[in-house]
Every structure is written in structure tokens, then in C-alpha cells.
Amino acid sequence: MATELGPTPVKSPASGGTPVHHAPKGVGEDNRIASQGRWASWLLAPTIIALAVVIVYPIISAIVMSFQKDAGLDPATGLFTAGGPAGIQNYVNWLAQQCSAPGGGTVACPPGTLGGQFWSATATTFFFTVVTVALETVLGFWMAMIMARTFRGRSLVRAAVLVPWAIPTAVTAKLWFFIFAFEGIANKLFNTTILWTGSEWPAKWAVIIADVWKTTPFMALLILAGLQMIPAEVYEAAKVDGTTAWQRFRLITLPLVKPALMVAILFRTLDALRMFDLPYILTGGANNTTTLSILVINQIRQGFNAAAALSTITFIIIFLVAFIFVRFLGANVVEQSGATGKGKK
């Protein structure tokens, strides 16, 4: 005879022995999780809507504008035109450094014009990014290693190190502008006569020095957080095994701090790719210190739609860099997790 499977009736003492059918185990837990998920969705909805308005809408608006012509005088007829669809012409003009010709069509942009500065601004942006991030990583790691030690006055040192990072960038740029003046502290201190903001390479290194001074504490702070996650017992065991300081740094510190280090490098790289206020105030973008962000601001004064195309190109460049970093960081984290799991097994 077939027997049906189902909830087992249990006699309840309160009901005088009347069988009570309990729900299958886990149903109440599932309902509770579903209820929490609905509450989480309602709580997150305002934030998602705000982010869509603040971030998504401007991006979509800029992309739509980038496919429109700027209003202005038609070089062929001399008449005012209200713009209209441009297709991908704005993108082609920036990437190929093409400008409108007086008789119609396009020609190569003359040197010094905004259209002729795209690739030089791109190279300058990446040069600043690579050099500043590399220097800030090395100096930040060194500062984090010092602040991670236990010594008298450690809290005061940590607070003092963060002072340059806390100063607004505009104030920092103006401060270093006076330091790098011809009669400023830099030339007086080293007994030199360098035009720091008046020639190409001194101007570039002036921007780099100012940026490294300001944002190295940010790198040190993030790396310090990673160093404090390393258990002290690991170093003690390594010392018992007779390892040297360099071996402990290479085999313990670097591998364990790598996730935090990569996050710090990612944040700083994305910030450096958007560099604007520091070089703009310090050099005005002169002497080949114009970054992509400065070029976008300068183009806005001449045409919003062409500036929207340039800002979209800048966004794509930054997005690709972030994508590469995230994929690289994620792969390492997965590998380390897998290796840890295998070790535990």
C-alpha cells in the first residue's frame, strides 16, 4: 500500500492531544529572507534613483550631445547654423585632430589649437599618471611601513602625515606656485635660476612634485590599513625560522598586502587620469602640461557638443583602465582564496 510523504502530525499538549501539522523545516527561514530582501530593495531604491539622476543621466546626456554639431558660423557660407546631427564626426575630429576648413570640410588642426592638442594632452595625462602613481606607491609604502610600527608618538605622526592630503587641491597648487616662483623658496634653497612654470620639463616636474606631496598620504593610509590586517604571529613564526627582514618583506608583507595595495593604486590611478585643478592653477596648462580634463574645460568655451565628445572619450579611457585593474585585482583575489582553501584542506 502506497504511503504519502508529508508533514508529520504532532500532538500538541495545549490542544488536548489534537494533531498539529507543522510547516516543513526551512519554510519560515525562506519567508524571513524574502521579507528582508523586499525591505532591502525599498531601502536601496532612493539611493539607486539618486545615483541614476546624478551619474547616469549626465553620462547619457553627454553621449547624446556628442553626436550633435555645435552652433556657429558655417565656414563655407559664413552664415549662422544651429547645429544638427553630426554622427561620429566630433569623435573623428578629435582622434584625427581635424578642424573645420574655411571653405568647408576639414583640415589638420594647426599647432596650438585645441583640436591639435588631443594626443599631446593624452600623452601628458598618462605621463603624469604613471610617474605620480609610481612615486606615491613607493613613498606611501615606505611611510606605511614606518607608521605600522609601535613607537612613542605614533598617533601624532599619523595625524601629521595626513595634513597635506587634507589641504584642498586649489590651496596646494597656489602654495607650490609660490614655492616654484623664480624668486621662490625652491630656487633660493638650491641656489638655482630655474623657470619652474616657464619651460616644459621643469613645469611637468613641478606638477609631479606638488601632486606627490599632496596625495602620498592617501596611498600611505590605504596601504597602512592593509598592513594592519597581517597577523603579528606570522612575522614571529618567520623570525623563529631564521628569515631575514628582506625575506619577511618579500615573502610575507608583499603577498598579504597586495589586495590593499592594488586598490590604492586603482583609486589613485583613476584620480590622476582626471587631474585638472593642480596643473590648471600651477601652470595654466602651458608648456605641454595640458591634461585631458583641462582640454575639455577649454573646449567648453568654444562648443559644448565637441567638448561632450572629448569628455566621452576621456570617460572611455578611464573606464578601460579601471576595467583592466579590476579584472587584474579580482583574478589575484580568487587565486589567493583558492590557494588558501587548498591549504586548509
Side-chain angles (χ1 to χ4, degrees):
M1 181 176 178
T3 303
E4 294 183 358
L5 299 177
T8 303
V10 180
K11 293 183 179 181
S12 174
S15 59
T18 303
V20 178
H21 292 272
H22 290 284
K25 186 178 180 180
V27 173
E29 182 70 16
D30 294 340
N31 292 335
R32 186 179 65 83
I33 294 175
S35 177
Q36 290 178 348
R38 286 191 296 269
W39 272 107
S41 300
W42 281 107
L43 293 174
L44 289 174
T47 302
I48 295 174
I49 294 173
L51 289 176
V53 173
V54 175
I55 298 177
V56 177
Y57 173 74
I59 293 175
I60 296 177
S61 178
I63 294 175
V64 172
M65 290 175 60
S66 67
F67 293 105
Q68 303 292 321
K69 294 179 181 178
D70 286 314
L73 296 177
D74 188 349
T77 62
L79 300 176
F80 180 81
T81 58
I88 62 172
Q89 190 60 44
N90 288 329
Y91 294 94
V92 173
N93 289 345
W94 282 114
L95 296 175
Q97 298 190 157
Q98 297 291 318
C99 295
S100 300
T106 58
V107 295
C109 294
T113 59
L114 294 181
Q117 297 181 37
F118 173 76
W119 288 110
S120 63
T122 302
T124 299
T125 301
F126 276 93
F127 174 76
F128 283 155
T129 300
V130 172
V131 176
T132 57
V133 173
L135 292 176
E136 289 160 8
T137 301
V138 174
L139 294 176
F141 208 123
W142 173 66
M143 293 168 61
M145 292 287 290
I146 294 177
M147 291 188 294
R149 298 176 180 177
T150 302
F151 57 89
R152 185 183 300 273
R154 183 177 63 174
S155 299
L156 180 61
V157 172
R158 290 181 177 181
V161 164
L162 293 177
V163 170
W165 182 52
I167 298 176
T169 306
V171 177
T172 299
K174 209 61 181 178
L175 171 66
W176 283 95
F177 177 81
F178 291 121
I179 293 176
F180 287 125
F182 185 74
E183 297 292 337
I185 298 175
N187 282 337
K188 293 292 185 180
L189 183 62
F190 297 104
N191 194 24
T192 56
T193 56
I194 301 174
L195 294 173
W196 287 97
T197 58
S199 51
E200 180 177 350
W201 283 106
K204 286 185 175 181
W205 282 106
V207 173
I208 291 171
I209 292 172
D211 188 72
V212 169
W213 179 82
K214 175 176 174 54
T215 53
T216 296
F218 173 75
M219 295 288 289
L221 183 65
L222 294 181
I223 297 172
L224 177 62
L227 290 175
Q228 292 181 331
M229 297 297 293
I230 303 175
E233 294 79 6
V234 178
Y235 290 106
E236 294 174 0
K239 290 180 181 179
V240 172
D241 291 338
T243 58
T244 62
W246 170 247
Q247 289 175 330
R248 291 194 297 272
F249 175 78
R250 182 173 57 88
L251 300 176
I252 298 176
T253 303
L254 279 181
L256 294 181
V257 83
K258 188 175 182 180
L261 178 63
M262 291 304 301
V263 171
I265 294 175
L266 170 61
F267 286 169
R268 186 63 202 113
T269 299
L270 299 184
D271 190 36
L273 288 173
R274 298 180 289 106
M275 188 184 297
F276 167 74
D277 40 4
L278 183 63
Y280 188 79
I281 297 174
L282 188 59
T283 65
N287 299 306
N288 202 16
T289 58
T290 298
T291 62
L292 285 173
S293 296
I294 294 177
L295 194 61
V296 170
I297 299 301
N298 292 337
Q299 178 59 41
I300 287 177
R301 301 187 179 98
Q302 299 187 10
F304 281 95
N305 296 329
L310 180 57
S311 64
T312 303
I313 294 174
T314 305
F315 169 76
I316 293 174
I317 292 174
I318 296 175
F319 175 80
L320 290 176
V321 173
F323 177 77
I324 293 172
F325 268 90
V326 170
R327 285 295 300 269
F328 177 72
L329 177 62
N332 281 322
V333 170
V334 171
E335 290 174 1
Q336 289 174 3
S337 300
T340 303
K342 291 179 180 178
K344 290 181 179 179
K345 291 180 182 179

